[in-house]
Amino acid sequence: MTALPRGWHAIGWTLSTFLISAVGGFIANSFGIPAGWLMGGALGVSVAAMVGLPVMLPRWVRDTAFVMVGLSMGATVPSDTLSLISHWPVTLIAMVIELVLIVTITGWILARFFKLDPGTAYLSSFPGHLSFIMGIASAGVGDARQIAMIQVIRILILTICVPIGALFLPPVTEMVTAGPVHTVPVITLLVLAAACAAIGLVFVRLRIPAGFVLGSMAISTSAKLAGLFEGALPQPLVVVTLIMVGALIGSRFAGITRAEFVRAAFGGIVATLATVGIVTIIAYAASLIVDMPLAQIWLGLSPGALEGMGALGVALGYDTAFIGAHHVIRLLLLSFAIPAVVLWIRRRETRQPRA
């Protein structure tokens, strides 16, 4: 793998990545596509990486984007969101059923029809915890590069398809916060951002998955529900956040050759379609029981990355507390499920040579 550039080259690559994401986001937003700044940015940077243009994001920029997403998610939580908790057990049970079906069915598809070994097939099927999965893959379970490409393809497709799907769903005006329209004062915003970064760092030190996102979301949501601040985030800050997340998603394709992409793309697309089908069926069934928009339930149950789905929730005006809580619990469940499946894979692999 090529070493990342340093100094002025790194600055130039980072700025060009942001520029590509901003241009792609501007074009998508100009066409009126929901969450266009995010969708267009992710697509633009992905294409740039695939054709060999210099694309990269330093770690500190990535962490900053995570903090901003968490802050945005907390700041857009409606004041009456706690009244919906009574409905959440239904959707949480739906999520457990969904996870079992996704891992079982997509893992089987990848192993049966694409001839992937069990480690690669099942680690590619897990909807989330990419860093955890890649750590396991790097330790010798499955093909790490194939797993990375299938997982990134899943994230990218979901990020692109969700806003497009939102065009065909009923409007969600009733879910948009009807509170104050003024923006958060600058001093309050700076203090809140500092607190989000600090708690996010604590979460990271405690090895909590997606620590910066979860930590900043936790402090921002708590402060909002406690009445410590009111108002909306400045719109330019929201746009910058969406551009950063789009750049982050797209930059994951850096270093992947077109030949490698073609080999993994078909399997990734089929697995993603199967996953989307399972999520849609489960979300629709849950929507028949609870009084929530289907699209909000879908975002809460979707297997996309927390930062991507959280940013989409902010952009589309849904209850981000609901979305964030479900993604947090999904990550927690995966923390137990992934090691259990890996143990099963290793036992299966040790038995095969004896057969």
Side-chain angles (χ1 to χ4, degrees):
M1 179 178 291
T2 336
L4 290 177
R6 298 175 179 273
W8 290 107
H9 289 292
I11 295 174
W13 283 33
T14 302
L15 291 177
S16 67
T17 303
F18 277 124
L19 180 60
I20 294 169
S21 182
V23 171
F26 176 79
I27 293 173
N29 190 65
S30 299
F31 280 98
I33 297 174
W37 288 104
L38 174 62
M39 188 189 84
L43 182 59
V45 176
S46 300
V47 171
M50 291 299 301
V51 300
L53 294 180
V55 166
M56 72 164 288
L57 285 181
R59 186 182 184 89
W60 69 268
V61 175
R62 184 203 66 181
D63 292 341
T64 300
F66 288 165
V67 170
M68 292 173 67
V69 168
L71 191 159
S72 301
M73 290 175 69
T76 54
V77 170
S79 57
D80 62 345
T81 191
L82 295 179
S83 64
L84 296 175
I85 291 181
S86 60
H87 296 293
W88 290 4
V90 173
T91 52
L92 291 175
I93 292 172
M95 183 176 63
V96 173
I97 297 172
E98 163 198 287
L99 290 177
V100 173
L101 291 175
I102 288 174
V103 174
T104 303
I105 294 175
T106 58
W108 179 80
I109 289 174
L110 291 173
R112 175 70 174 80
F113 296 102
F114 294 92
K115 308 303 180 185
L116 298 181
D117 62 272
T120 303
Y122 285 96
L123 286 181
S124 297
S125 70
F126 277 105
H129 255 333
L130 181 58
S131 58
F132 187 20
I133 289 171
M134 293 314 301
I136 293 175
S138 301
V141 180
D143 183 335
R145 202 161 179 82
Q146 287 278 323
I147 293 169
M149 283 187 284
I150 291 174
Q151 289 280 5
V152 170
I153 288 168
R154 172 182 60 80
I155 294 171
L156 183 63
I157 291 176
L158 288 172
T159 306
I160 292 174
C161 290
V162 172
I164 293 177
L167 292 172
F168 303 95
L169 294 171
V172 69
T173 51
E174 71 273 10
M175 294 298 297
V176 179
T177 306
V181 294
H182 65 275
T183 58
V184 180
V186 175
I187 299 299
T188 303
L189 184 59
L190 291 175
V191 172
L192 182 62
C196 286
I199 300 301
L201 185 59
V202 171
F203 275 38
V204 169
R205 298 297 185 195
L206 293 175
R207 300 185 181 277
I208 296 175
F212 277 111
V213 179
L214 298 183
S216 57
M217 184 184 70
I219 194 68
S220 180
T221 302
S222 300
K224 182 68 177 289
L225 294 178
L228 299 181
F229 75 96
E230 291 292 340
L233 295 182
Q235 187 60 26
L237 181 61
V238 174
V239 170
V240 169
T241 300
L242 297 175
I243 291 173
M244 291 178 72
V245 176
L248 174 64
I249 294 171
S251 65
R252 288 170 173 162
F253 278 89
I256 295 177
T257 66
R258 275 171 284 185
E260 288 175 319
F261 175 78
V262 168
R263 283 197 299 269
F266 189 45
I269 291 171
V270 171
T272 304
L273 290 176
T275 299
V276 169
I278 293 169
V279 172
T280 303
I281 292 171
I282 297 294
Y284 177 73
S287 71
L288 299 177
I289 303 174
V290 298
D291 185 20
M292 291 183 192
L294 171 60
Q296 177 176 296
I297 298 174
W298 200 100
L299 277 178
L301 300 183
S302 68
L306 172 61
E307 64 271 14
M309 296 301 106
L312 282 172
V314 171
L316 297 174
Y318 294 116
D319 182 355
T320 52
F322 173 87
I323 296 169
H326 281 66
H327 281 269
V328 169
I329 296 173
R330 174 172 60 88
L331 292 175
L332 180 62
L333 292 173
L334 290 177
S335 298
F336 294 98
I338 293 172
V341 172
V342 169
L343 180 61
W344 170 76
I345 291 171
R346 283 181 170 168
R347 286 180 176 176
R348 176 176 172 175
E349 289 174 344
T350 55
R351 288 198 302 264
Q352 281 180 344
R354 299 177 185 175

